[in-house]
Amino acid sequence: MSVLIVCPGKDPENWVKALENQHRGMNIYVYPEDHDKEEVEFALTWNHPRGLFKNYPNLKVIASMGAGVDHILSDDALPEGVKITKVVDDTLTEDMGDFVLSQVMNHIRGLHHYVKCQKEKEWDKFQYKRPQDTKVGVMGLGVLGNAVADKLHKNFFKVYGWSRTEKSCENVTSFYGKEQLEEFLQNSEILVCLLPLTEDTENILNADLFDMLPEGAYVINVARGEHLVEHDLMEMIDNGHLAGASLDVFREEPLPEEHPFWEHSKINITPHIASVTKPESVVPQIADNYDRMMEDEPLKNRVELDKGY
Protein backbone atom coordinates (compact mmCIF):
# COMPACT_ATOMS: atom_id res chain seq x y z
CA MET A 1 0.00 0.00 0.00
CA SER A 2 1.41 3.35 -1.03
CA VAL A 3 0.85 7.10 -1.00
CA LEU A 4 1.18 9.11 -4.21
CA ILE A 5 2.09 12.82 -4.12
CA VAL A 6 0.99 14.78 -7.18
CA CYS A 7 1.74 18.51 -7.27
CA PRO A 8 2.99 19.71 -10.68
CA GLY A 9 4.91 22.97 -10.42
CA LYS A 10 5.49 22.58 -6.67
CA ASP A 11 8.52 21.14 -4.90
CA PRO A 12 7.27 17.99 -3.12
CA GLU A 13 10.40 17.48 -1.01
CA ASN A 14 9.03 19.09 2.17
CA TRP A 15 5.83 17.05 1.88
CA VAL A 16 7.80 13.82 1.52
CA LYS A 17 10.01 14.64 4.53
CA ALA A 18 7.05 15.65 6.70
CA LEU A 19 5.16 12.45 5.85
CA GLU A 20 8.22 10.28 6.49
CA ASN A 21 8.79 11.98 9.85
CA GLN A 22 5.14 11.66 10.83
CA HIS A 23 4.58 8.10 9.60
CA ARG A 24 7.70 5.94 9.65
CA GLY A 25 7.71 3.23 7.02
CA MET A 26 5.10 4.85 4.77
CA ASN A 27 5.81 4.01 1.14
CA ILE A 28 5.69 7.27 -0.84
CA TYR A 29 5.80 7.86 -4.58
CA VAL A 30 6.10 11.26 -6.24
CA TYR A 31 4.44 11.73 -9.62
CA PRO A 32 5.67 11.26 -12.35
CA GLU A 33 8.36 8.86 -11.10
CA ASP A 34 7.90 5.18 -12.00
CA HIS A 35 5.60 3.29 -9.62
CA ASP A 36 3.08 0.49 -9.45
CA LYS A 37 -0.35 2.09 -9.88
CA GLU A 38 -2.08 -0.88 -8.27
CA GLU A 39 -0.23 -0.23 -5.01
CA VAL A 40 -1.57 3.31 -4.58
CA GLU A 41 -4.59 3.68 -2.30
CA PHE A 42 -4.06 7.24 -1.04
CA ALA A 43 -3.16 10.33 -3.10
CA LEU A 44 -2.06 13.73 -1.81
CA THR A 45 -2.43 16.39 -4.47
CA TRP A 46 -2.65 19.95 -5.72
CA ASN A 47 -3.66 20.61 -9.34
CA HIS A 48 -3.18 17.08 -10.63
CA PRO A 49 -3.30 16.44 -14.40
CA ARG A 50 -6.92 15.89 -15.46
CA GLY A 51 -7.84 12.22 -15.76
CA LEU A 52 -4.75 11.00 -13.91
CA PHE A 53 -6.51 9.19 -11.07
CA LYS A 54 -8.70 7.01 -13.29
CA ASN A 55 -5.53 4.98 -13.89
CA TYR A 56 -5.34 3.87 -10.23
CA PRO A 57 -7.68 0.89 -9.73
CA ASN A 58 -7.29 0.67 -5.95
CA LEU A 59 -7.38 4.38 -5.10
CA LYS A 60 -9.61 5.05 -2.08
CA VAL A 61 -8.78 8.61 -0.94
CA ILE A 62 -7.68 11.82 -2.64
CA ALA A 63 -6.44 14.40 -0.12
CA SER A 64 -6.08 18.06 -1.00
CA MET A 65 -2.88 19.77 0.12
CA GLY A 66 -4.93 22.84 0.99
CA ALA A 67 -8.34 24.04 2.12
CA GLY A 68 -9.68 24.22 -1.45
CA VAL A 69 -10.88 21.15 -3.34
CA ASP A 70 -12.14 22.65 -6.61
CA HIS A 71 -8.86 21.63 -8.26
CA ILE A 72 -9.88 18.02 -7.56
CA LEU A 73 -13.61 18.20 -8.17
CA SER A 74 -13.14 19.93 -11.53
CA ASP A 75 -11.80 16.64 -12.89
CA ASP A 76 -14.68 14.84 -14.59
CA ALA A 77 -12.74 11.56 -14.66
CA LEU A 78 -12.36 10.88 -10.94
CA PRO A 79 -12.69 7.20 -9.95
CA GLU A 80 -16.16 6.28 -8.78
CA GLY A 81 -16.49 5.96 -5.03
CA VAL A 82 -13.23 7.72 -4.16
CA LYS A 83 -13.33 9.82 -0.99
CA ILE A 84 -11.99 13.39 -0.98
CA THR A 85 -10.63 15.32 1.99
CA LYS A 86 -9.52 18.89 2.56
CA VAL A 87 -7.20 20.59 5.02
CA VAL A 88 -8.56 22.42 8.07
CA ASP A 89 -5.65 24.02 9.87
CA ASP A 90 -5.38 26.68 12.57
CA THR A 91 -2.29 28.21 10.95
CA LEU A 92 -4.05 28.60 7.59
CA THR A 93 -7.06 30.08 9.34
CA GLU A 94 -5.04 32.59 11.34
CA ASP A 95 -2.99 33.61 8.32
CA MET A 96 -6.11 34.24 6.25
CA GLY A 97 -7.59 36.42 9.00
CA ASP A 98 -4.39 38.45 9.26
CA PHE A 99 -4.17 38.90 5.50
CA VAL A 100 -7.75 40.08 5.02
CA LEU A 101 -7.44 42.45 7.98
CA SER A 102 -4.29 43.92 6.43
CA GLN A 103 -6.06 44.47 3.09
CA VAL A 104 -9.08 46.06 4.76
CA MET A 105 -6.83 48.38 6.78
CA ASN A 106 -4.77 49.15 3.69
CA HIS A 107 -7.94 50.32 1.97
CA ILE A 108 -9.50 52.41 4.72
CA ARG A 109 -6.18 54.11 5.53
CA GLY A 110 -5.28 54.68 1.86
CA LEU A 111 -1.87 52.99 2.02
CA HIS A 112 -2.07 51.79 -1.58
CA HIS A 113 -2.81 55.39 -2.55
CA TYR A 114 0.38 56.55 -0.86
CA VAL A 115 2.50 53.97 -2.70
CA LYS A 116 1.25 55.51 -5.94
CA CYS A 117 1.87 59.03 -4.61
CA GLN A 118 5.46 58.20 -3.65
CA LYS A 119 6.21 56.90 -7.15
CA GLU A 120 4.82 60.10 -8.65
CA LYS A 121 6.31 62.35 -5.92
CA GLU A 122 2.88 63.71 -5.00
CA TRP A 123 2.00 65.03 -1.53
CA ASP A 124 -1.69 64.08 -1.48
CA LYS A 125 -3.48 63.32 1.79
CA PHE A 126 -6.16 60.59 1.89
CA GLN A 127 -9.34 61.00 3.95
CA TYR A 128 -9.26 57.76 5.93
CA LYS A 129 -12.05 55.89 7.71
CA ARG A 130 -12.00 54.23 11.11
CA PRO A 131 -12.92 50.55 11.66
CA GLN A 132 -15.84 51.53 13.88
CA ASP A 133 -17.36 53.42 10.95
CA THR A 134 -16.80 50.71 8.33
CA LYS A 135 -19.12 47.89 7.27
CA VAL A 136 -17.44 44.74 5.95
CA GLY A 137 -19.35 41.92 4.29
CA VAL A 138 -17.90 38.40 4.23
CA MET A 139 -19.25 36.07 1.54
CA GLY A 140 -18.82 32.50 2.70
CA LEU A 141 -19.07 31.57 6.39
CA GLY A 142 -17.12 28.33 6.47
CA VAL A 143 -14.04 27.84 8.65
CA LEU A 144 -12.02 30.59 6.93
CA GLY A 145 -14.96 32.97 6.57
CA ASN A 146 -15.83 32.62 10.24
CA ALA A 147 -12.24 33.28 11.25
CA VAL A 148 -12.03 36.38 9.05
CA ALA A 149 -15.32 37.71 10.39
CA ASP A 150 -14.16 37.16 13.97
CA LYS A 151 -10.83 38.89 13.29
CA LEU A 152 -12.60 41.90 11.79
CA HIS A 153 -15.05 42.09 14.69
CA LYS A 154 -12.22 42.01 17.22
CA ASN A 155 -10.72 44.98 15.37
CA PHE A 156 -13.97 46.94 15.73
CA PHE A 157 -15.39 46.61 12.22
CA LYS A 158 -19.13 46.19 11.70
CA VAL A 159 -19.29 42.71 10.19
CA TYR A 160 -21.96 41.18 7.97
CA GLY A 161 -21.94 37.66 6.58
CA TRP A 162 -23.64 35.75 3.79
CA SER A 163 -23.81 32.02 3.09
CA ARG A 164 -25.76 29.66 0.87
CA THR A 165 -27.65 28.20 3.83
CA GLU A 166 -28.54 29.70 7.20
CA LYS A 167 -25.67 29.95 9.66
CA SER A 168 -25.42 31.60 13.04
CA CYS A 169 -22.11 33.34 13.69
CA GLU A 170 -21.32 35.19 16.89
CA ASN A 171 -20.91 38.97 16.47
CA VAL A 172 -21.89 38.78 12.78
CA THR A 173 -25.13 40.00 11.23
CA SER A 174 -25.88 36.99 9.03
CA PHE A 175 -27.80 36.64 5.78
CA TYR A 176 -28.35 33.56 3.63
CA GLY A 177 -29.77 32.43 0.33
CA LYS A 178 -30.50 34.34 -2.86
CA GLU A 179 -33.42 36.17 -1.23
CA GLN A 180 -31.16 37.90 1.32
CA LEU A 181 -28.14 38.51 -0.92
CA GLU A 182 -29.10 42.04 -1.96
CA GLU A 183 -29.67 43.21 1.63
CA PHE A 184 -26.30 41.76 2.61
CA LEU A 185 -24.55 43.51 -0.28
CA GLN A 186 -26.18 46.85 0.53
CA ASN A 187 -24.42 46.64 3.92
CA SER A 188 -21.01 45.79 2.44
CA GLU A 189 -18.80 48.84 2.03
CA ILE A 190 -15.97 46.35 1.74
CA LEU A 191 -16.82 42.95 0.25
CA VAL A 192 -14.63 39.93 1.03
CA CYS A 193 -15.13 36.78 -1.05
CA LEU A 194 -14.34 33.53 0.76
CA LEU A 195 -16.84 31.29 -1.00
CA PRO A 196 -16.04 27.76 -2.12
CA LEU A 197 -15.90 27.44 -5.89
CA THR A 198 -18.95 25.54 -7.14
CA GLU A 199 -21.24 25.69 -10.16
CA ASP A 200 -23.43 28.12 -8.22
CA THR A 201 -20.61 30.46 -7.17
CA GLU A 202 -18.54 30.55 -10.36
CA ASN A 203 -18.69 34.10 -11.85
CA ILE A 204 -20.70 35.33 -8.86
CA LEU A 205 -18.58 38.49 -8.62
CA ASN A 206 -20.14 40.13 -11.66
CA ALA A 207 -21.68 43.44 -12.74
CA ASP A 208 -25.13 42.58 -11.36
CA LEU A 209 -23.68 41.82 -7.93
CA PHE A 210 -21.38 44.86 -7.94
CA ASP A 211 -24.34 47.06 -8.80
CA MET A 212 -26.00 46.04 -5.51
CA LEU A 213 -22.99 47.22 -3.49
CA PRO A 214 -22.94 50.80 -2.14
CA GLU A 215 -21.27 53.32 -4.41
CA GLY A 216 -17.57 53.46 -3.57
CA ALA A 217 -17.44 49.89 -2.28
CA TYR A 218 -14.17 47.93 -2.32
CA VAL A 219 -13.78 44.26 -3.32
CA ILE A 220 -11.34 41.74 -1.83
CA ASN A 221 -11.12 38.30 -3.44
CA VAL A 222 -9.14 35.66 -1.55
CA ALA A 223 -11.21 32.66 -2.68
CA ARG A 224 -10.76 31.66 -6.34
CA GLY A 225 -10.10 33.57 -9.54
CA GLU A 226 -13.09 31.88 -11.19
CA HIS A 227 -15.43 33.70 -8.85
CA LEU A 228 -14.63 36.98 -10.59
CA VAL A 229 -15.78 38.28 -13.96
CA GLU A 230 -12.68 40.35 -14.63
CA HIS A 231 -14.09 42.69 -17.28
CA ASP A 232 -17.05 43.54 -15.03
CA LEU A 233 -14.73 44.47 -12.16
CA MET A 234 -12.63 46.82 -14.27
CA GLU A 235 -15.69 48.41 -15.82
CA MET A 236 -17.30 49.06 -12.42
CA ILE A 237 -14.06 50.55 -11.09
CA ASP A 238 -13.56 52.71 -14.17
CA ASN A 239 -17.12 54.08 -14.06
CA GLY A 240 -16.65 55.04 -10.40
CA HIS A 241 -19.11 52.65 -8.79
CA LEU A 242 -16.34 50.66 -7.12
CA ALA A 243 -13.38 52.28 -5.38
CA GLY A 244 -11.04 49.46 -6.29
CA ALA A 245 -10.10 45.89 -5.47
CA SER A 246 -7.51 43.70 -3.79
CA LEU A 247 -7.02 40.41 -5.61
CA ASP A 248 -4.99 37.45 -4.38
CA VAL A 249 -6.40 34.83 -6.77
CA PHE A 250 -6.77 34.74 -10.55
CA ARG A 251 -8.18 32.61 -13.36
CA GLU A 252 -4.68 32.06 -14.67
CA GLU A 253 -1.74 31.87 -12.28
CA PRO A 254 0.84 33.29 -12.52
CA LEU A 255 -1.03 36.30 -13.84
CA PRO A 256 0.14 36.84 -17.46
CA GLU A 257 2.40 39.83 -18.04
CA GLU A 258 -0.03 41.31 -20.57
CA HIS A 259 -3.00 41.20 -18.19
CA PRO A 260 -4.60 44.66 -17.69
CA PHE A 261 -4.80 44.16 -13.91
CA TRP A 262 -1.04 44.84 -13.65
CA GLU A 263 -1.38 48.40 -14.91
CA HIS A 264 -4.62 49.31 -13.15
CA SER A 265 -3.94 51.91 -10.48
CA LYS A 266 -6.93 50.85 -8.33
CA ILE A 267 -6.29 47.12 -8.32
CA ASN A 268 -3.90 45.72 -5.73
CA ILE A 269 -2.32 42.38 -6.71
CA THR A 270 -0.75 39.67 -4.53
CA PRO A 271 0.39 36.27 -5.90
CA HIS A 272 -1.97 33.86 -4.10
CA ILE A 273 -0.22 34.20 -0.76
CA ALA A 274 -3.08 35.10 1.59
CA SER A 275 -2.81 31.76 3.36
CA VAL A 276 -0.16 29.21 2.37
CA THR A 277 -0.18 25.58 3.51
CA LYS A 278 2.82 24.54 5.61
CA PRO A 279 3.47 20.78 5.24
CA GLU A 280 4.70 20.29 8.82
CA SER A 281 1.48 21.85 10.12
CA VAL A 282 -1.03 19.80 8.11
CA VAL A 283 0.72 16.47 7.57
CA PRO A 284 -0.41 15.06 10.97
CA GLN A 285 -4.07 15.22 9.90
CA ILE A 286 -3.21 13.73 6.50
CA ALA A 287 -1.31 10.85 8.11
CA ASP A 288 -4.21 10.36 10.51
CA ASN A 289 -6.61 10.02 7.59
CA TYR A 290 -4.24 7.53 5.97
CA ASP A 291 -4.47 5.39 9.12
CA ARG A 292 -8.24 5.84 9.21
CA MET A 293 -8.44 4.64 5.61
CA MET A 294 -6.35 1.59 6.51
CA GLU A 295 -8.66 0.78 9.44
CA ASP A 296 -11.82 1.58 7.44
CA GLU A 297 -12.74 4.36 9.90
CA PRO A 298 -14.52 7.66 9.06
CA LEU A 299 -12.19 10.27 7.57
CA LYS A 300 -11.69 13.74 9.04
CA ASN A 301 -12.49 16.82 6.94
CA ARG A 302 -14.21 14.77 4.27
CA VAL A 303 -15.74 16.76 1.41
CA GLU A 304 -19.47 16.49 0.75
CA LEU A 305 -19.47 15.88 -2.97
CA ASP A 306 -23.07 17.05 -3.48
CA LYS A 307 -22.13 20.45 -2.02
CA GLY A 308 -18.68 20.70 -3.52
CA TYR A 309 -16.95 21.56 -0.22
Side-chain angles (χ1 to χ4, degrees):
M1 297 182 184
S2 302
V3 173
L4 176 68
I5 297 178
V6 186
C7 52
K10 290 180 176 287
D11 185 353
E13 183 178 353
N14 288 337
W15 288 95
V16 173
K17 288 181 178 178
L19 279 171
E20 288 176 341
N21 290 336
Q22 182 69 32
H23 205 293
R24 300 289 181 182
M26 178 183 284
N27 189 36
I28 302 170
Y29 294 123
V30 176
Y31 177 85
E33 69 182 23
D34 289 337
H35 59 277
D36 185 346
K37 293 181 173 61
E38 293 189 0
E39 284 186 24
V40 175
E41 294 190 53
F42 191 104
L44 176 61
T45 187
W46 190 262
N47 282 334
H48 69 277
R50 306 298 86 177
L52 174 70
F53 293 129
K54 69 181 179 181
N55 300 313
Y56 292 81
N58 298 313
L59 187 63
K60 296 178 180 178
V61 178
I62 301 175
S64 174
M65 287 177 165
V69 293
D70 51 281
H71 62 101
I72 299 174
L73 299 180
S74 60
D75 186 350
D76 295 331
L78 291 176
E80 187 174 347
V82 70
K83 298 173 183 177
I84 298 172
T85 65
K86 61 185 177 182
V87 164
V88 176
D89 179 61
D90 288 344
T91 300
L92 281 176
T93 303
E94 292 171 8
D95 289 353
M96 180 62 78
D98 290 344
F99 181 83
V100 172
L101 176 62
S102 72
Q103 296 303 305
V104 171
M105 291 299 300
N106 177 52
H107 172 61
I108 68 170
R109 293 307 301 253
L111 302 185
H112 185 60
H113 168 77
Y114 293 126
V115 171
K116 178 176 176 289
C117 288
Q118 181 173 347
K119 289 180 179 178
E120 298 176 0
K121 299 179 181 179
E122 291 182 355
W123 189 268
D124 184 22
K125 295 184 179 181
F126 180 89
Q127 183 59 54
Y128 64 83
K129 291 185 67 175
R130 303 182 70 230
Q132 294 90 333
D133 302 322
T134 306
K135 298 177 180 179
V136 183
V138 179
M139 292 187 79
L141 293 175
V143 173
L144 293 177
N146 256 304
V148 167
D150 184 61
K151 175 79 71 170
L152 292 167
H153 167 74
K154 288 178 177 177
N155 283 273
F156 310 111
F157 288 92
K158 298 175 183 177
V159 185
Y160 299 79
W162 182 84
S163 52
R164 184 178 65 88
T165 57
E166 186 173 8
K167 293 185 179 181
S168 178
C169 301
E170 191 175 356
N171 302 314
V172 176
T173 303
S174 298
F175 299 86
Y176 70 96
K178 293 180 180 178
E179 299 79 9
Q180 297 183 11
L181 179 59
E182 183 171 2
E183 185 178 359
F184 160 76
L185 292 168
Q186 289 172 346
N187 283 284
S188 301
E189 296 170 328
I190 299 175
L191 179 68
V192 181
C193 181
L194 272 162
L195 292 166
L197 182 62
T198 66
E199 289 184 2
D200 291 333
T201 65
E202 187 174 0
N203 298 321
I204 193 171
L205 299 177
N206 57 39
D208 291 338
L209 181 142
F210 296 147
D211 197 49
M212 289 185 274
L213 291 169
E215 186 171 348
Y218 191 78
V219 175
I220 298 173
N221 188 16
V222 285
R224 287 291 180 267
E226 291 84 354
H227 285 121
L228 176 65
V229 179
E230 297 177 347
H231 175 269
D232 288 1
L233 175 70
M234 289 189 293
E235 188 173 81
M236 295 297 271
I237 293 175
D238 292 342
N239 70 21
H241 183 71
L242 295 178
S246 175
L247 306 176
D248 186 58
V249 290
F250 306 90
R251 289 179 179 269
E252 183 179 350
E253 297 181 2
L255 190 65
E257 291 183 9
E258 66 275 11
H259 199 288
F261 281 170
W262 287 113
E263 301 297 329
H264 203 294
S265 63
K266 294 184 178 179
I267 294 179
N268 187 41
I269 292 172
T270 49
H272 205 149
I273 46 75
S275 185
V276 179
T277 305
K278 296 174 176 60
E280 63 274 13
S281 179
V282 303
V283 154
Q285 64 183 268
I286 292 168
D288 181 31
N289 266 343
Y290 175 82
D291 289 336
R292 287 170 175 269
M293 177 198 72
M294 298 283 286
E295 299 297 328
D296 199 25
E297 296 179 355
L299 302 176
K300 291 184 177 179
N301 306 321
R302 184 174 172 182
V303 174
E304 296 182 48
L305 299 183
D306 58 329
K307 292 182 178 179
Y309 56 88

